Every structure is written in C-alpha cells, then in structure tokens.
Amino acid sequence: MNKKDLRVNAINMLKSQSEIKRKQIEEELTEQLIHSTFWENAAVIGITMAQGFEWDTKSIIEIAWAQGKEVCVPKCSPQDKLLNFYKITSFNELEVVYYNLLEPIPEKTESVLKEQIDLLMVPGLLFDREGFRVGFGGGYYDRFLANFPNTTVSLLCEEQLVSQLPKESFDIPVEYLITEKNIINTIR
C-alpha cells in the first residue's frame, strides 16, 4: 500500500473510535508521557495543537505550563514547507489558519530555535517499531528533524503501530513511541 492509501485508512480508523475509547487512550498516553524521564528532563517542549481525530495535546500543554515548562508550537511556512516554533504562554496567542490549524501569532510570541527544544512531540498517523512514520504528507517534520539535536517522541494508539511502512531516503525516525500500553525506544 502506498503512503496516500495508508493515510486514508489510518484517518478512517482514528475517526471511527468511540469517544469513550479515545478519552481513555488519551489519558493513558498522557500518563505515560508525563511520567517518562525524557519529559521530566525537558524544560522546553515542542508540540502541535491537535485537532479533530488527532490525540489531544491541549491537556499536555496545560500540564507542561503547570510544571513550569516552556511550550512552543509550530507555525508552518507553506511557501518553503518549513516549521518555525514559537513559545506560547496562553492559548490566546494562537490563531486559526489554513486547514483550520491553530498556530502561534508571531507578533504575540517569541521565536524558539530548534536547538532550544528539549523534547519534540512529532505527530503522525502510522508508525513502525523502528520509529518511522506516515505523517500528513507535507514533509514539514522530516525537514525539521533533519538536524534536530534533541529527543523526539510520538503519541499513538496500538492500532497505529504497524509491522512495516514504506520508507524514503529523507524519512527520519522518532526516538520514542508512546502507546497506551508502553514506551518503545527505537534508538539503536
């Protein structure tokens, strides 16, 4: 199956989950994350504002703030397909942009260099046990990860974990996969 078909199937699977099941999985993912050593050791968290069928990140951001961590959220630059992260201290510093994405308002926020992000939460639709993923198809994260020096992690349910995915030369694996059951370390 090609990446486009895999994307469609994964989105349909995620959308078909009951609200009760989703909430339970989200709670388990959050607990696994915030009790991990890489979370505890991180002062600056890079994370997207999830929407729709994606795993909720709003509560994770609120926990980070409550623990005194800095939170930075990406802004996409469609012309060059790059991500730029900005520190947010309130959800009021976000605006709705194309595709209904919530992104930081640059004039109200502070730019953060990729080296300053201790822990980067990488979104995706499907993952294999080596940390490779099928994302949303824009290549934004693959470009950002190309020389990212710190820890990467993704949140996913067991159903998003597959035995094999098509890989391309520019694909960069995520170091840790957090499912509702465990944390998978993909680093060799």
Side-chain angles (χ1 to χ4, degrees):
M1 214 182 287
N2 65 34
K3 285 187 177 183
K4 185 178 179 184
D5 292 338
L6 288 168
R7 256 182 221 107
V8 169
N9 289 347
I11 289 169
N12 289 337
M13 179 271 296
L14 289 167
K15 285 181 175 179
S16 71
Q17 291 177 332
S18 73
E19 192 60 33
I20 293 168
K21 180 179 179 181
R22 285 190 66 74
K23 286 292 173 209
Q24 180 183 350
I25 291 171
E26 284 174 346
E27 286 173 17
E28 292 164 351
L29 294 175
T30 300
E31 284 300 307
Q32 293 259 35
L33 172 66
I34 66 171
H35 291 102
S36 67
T37 54
F38 45 81
W39 173 270
E40 290 171 6
N41 294 333
V44 181
I45 310 290
I47 189 169
T48 61
M49 291 299 304
Q51 60 176 34
F53 59 85
E54 295 179 275
W55 302 113
D56 176 51
T57 54
K58 190 174 181 184
S59 61
I60 293 169
I61 291 169
E62 290 168 338
I63 291 167
W65 284 335
Q67 293 180 352
K69 296 181 185 296
E70 290 186 4
V71 174
C72 53
V73 175
K75 181 163 188 63
C76 299
S77 174
Q79 58 274 21
D80 50 16
K81 293 199 174 219
L82 295 177
L83 292 178
N84 296 295
F85 280 78
Y86 294 85
K87 177 183 168 187
I88 63 166
T89 56
S90 157
F91 293 119
N92 294 332
E93 296 170 343
L94 301 169
E95 64 182 341
V96 177
V97 295
Y98 59 94
Y99 299 120
N100 259 353
L101 293 173
L102 274 175
E103 291 188 343
I105 304 167
E107 300 76 40
K108 291 186 175 183
T109 55
E110 177 186 328
S111 180
V112 177
L113 300 173
K114 75 167 58 175
E115 299 79 24
Q116 296 173 296
I117 301 171
D118 300 313
L119 180 62
L120 180 65
M121 310 282 298
V122 182
L125 294 167
L126 291 172
F127 301 82
D128 68 18
R129 291 188 173 276
E130 296 177 340
F132 288 96
R133 66 188 185 88
V134 170
F136 293 89
Y140 288 87
Y141 273 88
D142 286 315
R143 279 187 269 297
F144 191 81
L145 290 171
N147 56 0
F148 182 72
N150 297 317
T151 305
T152 57
V153 63
S154 291
L155 302 178
L156 57 141
C157 69
E158 288 284 323
E159 292 173 85
Q160 289 174 274
L161 194 57
V162 298
S163 60
Q164 195 174 2
L165 288 173
K167 295 174 185 71
E168 299 182 54
S169 61
F170 52 80
D171 290 338
I172 296 173
V174 175
E175 295 171 306
Y176 296 95
L177 303 175
I178 297 181
T179 75
E180 66 272 32
K181 294 184 179 171
N182 62 358
I183 297 177
I184 300 166
N185 180 341
T186 69
I187 303 168
R188 304 214 182 320

